[in-house]
């Protein structure tokens, strides 16, 4: 689970490149685009402009560069020409990128056009919850501290935390040890050490935390049809705290 300084340096570069993908997306008008068109544009940017590899494509038999999860879709939404983003939607775009043998993973929930206050509040709280988890990372802390901080913030706002999916170690492989739960008890779990790299990616639901997988075998939706939002960063445990490897240039540290 521990990366060397040289390996961390390569992960920093992969994270920087992935952050630039989201900066590229931020400059797009997503309303009116299909999620398949967004997938195509992101693939072209990663391959042609960044000279990197979209590491989700082909993994586990998945045929696309990103997951596009709209409204009640919790995660693993599959890009489609039929899914046109419209005003009022929220959509999570989850993207991975590999450069020089190391992978970075990040996601952001976008507000499309004129989004109602309840959806905006869910998205804002999910972003805050991710940062609560990130701020709990430091050498000597425990994985349970991350989940505890996330769940506490979500519950205070009246939201539930999805338990079926979690963050994960990352490096040469997309999914490495340890699993990073977004709920839990402070002071429990693996002790964090300098050189660990993993994702923090909470999914918060407006209603119940339970989810269902649709017939395509990928798309996960809320069991009650209410909205879900997610944010994700790849982080590294440093000597005195945490470094967010996928932090975007225009993004402030913290919520």
């Amino acid at each position: 689970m521990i990366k060397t300084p040289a390996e961390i340096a390569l992960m920093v570069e992969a994270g920087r490149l992935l952050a630039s993908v989201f900066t590229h997306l931020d400059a797009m008008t997503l309303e009116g685009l299909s999620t398949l068109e967004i997938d195509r544009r992101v693939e072209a940017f990663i391959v042609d402009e960044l000279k990197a590899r979209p590491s989700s494509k082909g993994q586990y038999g998945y045929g696309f560069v990103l997951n596009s999860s709209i409204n009640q879709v919790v995660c693993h939404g599959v890009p489609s020409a039929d899914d046109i983003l419209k005003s009022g939607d929220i959509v999570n775009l989850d993207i991975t990128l590999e450069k020089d043998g190391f992978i970075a993973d990040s996601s952001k929930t976008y507000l499309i056009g004129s989004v109602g206050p309840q959806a905006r509040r869910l998205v804002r709280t999910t972003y805050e919850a991710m940062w609560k988890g990130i701020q709990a990372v430091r050498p000597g802390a425990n994985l349970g501290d991350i989940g505890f901080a996330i769940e506490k913030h979500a519950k205070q706002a009246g939201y539930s935390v999805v338990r079926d999916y979690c963050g994960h170690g990352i490096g040469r492989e997309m999914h490495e040890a340890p699993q990073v739960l977004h709920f839990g008890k402070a002071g429990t779990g693996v002790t964090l050490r300098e050189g660990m790299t993993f994702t923090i990616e909470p999914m918060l639901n407006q209603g119940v935390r339970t989810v269902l997988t649709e017939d395509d075998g990928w798309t996960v939706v809320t069991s009650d049809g209410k909205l879900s939002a997610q944010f994700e960063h790849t982080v590294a445990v440093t000597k005195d705290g945490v470094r967010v490897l996928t932090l975007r240039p225009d993004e402030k540290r913290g919520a």
Side-chain angles (χ1 to χ4, degrees):
M1 291 190 287
I2 305 299
K3 307 297 190 297
T4 67
E7 289 172 329
I8 293 290
L10 291 172
M11 292 198 66
V12 167
E13 177 60 10
R16 184 188 70 82
L17 293 177
L18 183 52
S20 75
V21 177
F22 286 93
T23 300
H24 184 64
L25 279 166
D26 292 346
M28 291 185 196
T29 299
L30 299 180
E31 184 178 351
L33 293 181
S34 73
T35 53
L36 183 60
E37 175 61 23
I38 295 169
D39 183 84
R40 288 171 176 165
R41 292 188 186 188
V42 168
E43 181 170 20
F45 185 73
I46 291 174
V47 174
D48 299 335
E49 299 295 326
L50 302 182
K51 309 303 180 186
R53 181 178 71 88
S55 48
S56 292
K57 189 171 184 178
Q59 187 178 44
Y60 309 127
Y62 190 69
F64 302 91
V65 169
L66 54 80
N67 293 128
S68 50
S69 302
I70 305 172
N71 297 330
Q72 79 279 6
V73 179
V74 176
C75 60
H76 303 163
V78 179
S80 169
D82 296 328
D83 288 334
I84 310 296
L85 296 180
K86 63 184 185 301
S87 182
D89 285 339
I90 62 173
V91 59
N92 178 268
L93 300 177
D94 190 344
I95 307 169
T96 63
L97 177 151
E98 181 264 322
K99 182 71 172 180
D100 295 327
F102 284 87
I103 298 171
D105 190 359
S106 187
S107 83
K108 176 179 177 178
T109 297
Y110 285 86
L111 304 171
I112 307 302
S114 179
V115 175
Q118 292 185 345
R120 285 181 175 274
R121 180 175 180 269
L122 171 67
V123 172
R124 182 180 67 250
T125 303
T126 306
Y127 183 71
E128 293 168 350
M130 176 191 67
W131 277 103
K132 294 292 185 183
I134 292 171
Q135 290 159 356
V137 176
R138 65 185 185 281
N142 297 90
L143 278 178
D145 300 340
I146 299 171
F148 175 79
I150 290 169
E151 187 175 35
K152 179 180 179 182
H153 190 72
K155 284 187 171 181
Q156 285 175 341
Y159 299 125
S160 60
V161 178
V162 174
R163 296 192 173 197
D164 300 68
Y165 300 92
C166 62
H168 49 87
I170 190 169
R172 291 188 182 275
E173 301 294 334
M174 173 79 73
H175 297 112
E176 300 180 351
Q179 288 192 333
V180 182
L181 303 181
H182 302 122
F183 61 95
K185 183 178 179 181
T188 65
V190 172
T191 300
L192 302 183
R193 296 167 54 196
E194 180 183 1
M196 286 183 174
T197 54
F198 49 82
T199 70
I200 297 176
E201 48 182 297
M203 306 165 202
L204 269 57
N205 293 349
Q206 277 184 328
V208 297
R209 64 175 174 84
T210 52
V211 300
L212 302 170
T213 302
E214 295 190 339
D215 290 342
D216 63 6
W218 291 104
T219 306
V220 178
V221 298
T222 56
S223 62
D224 57 10
K226 294 185 178 181
L227 296 178
S228 183
Q230 181 187 20
F231 284 89
E232 174 183 14
H233 272 312
T234 297
V235 306
V237 183
T238 63
K239 181 179 180 181
D240 55 2
V242 61
R243 180 173 185 179
V244 181
L245 303 182
T246 47
L247 190 73
R248 298 180 296 280
D250 63 339
E251 186 181 18
K252 294 181 180 179
R253 180 185 168 88

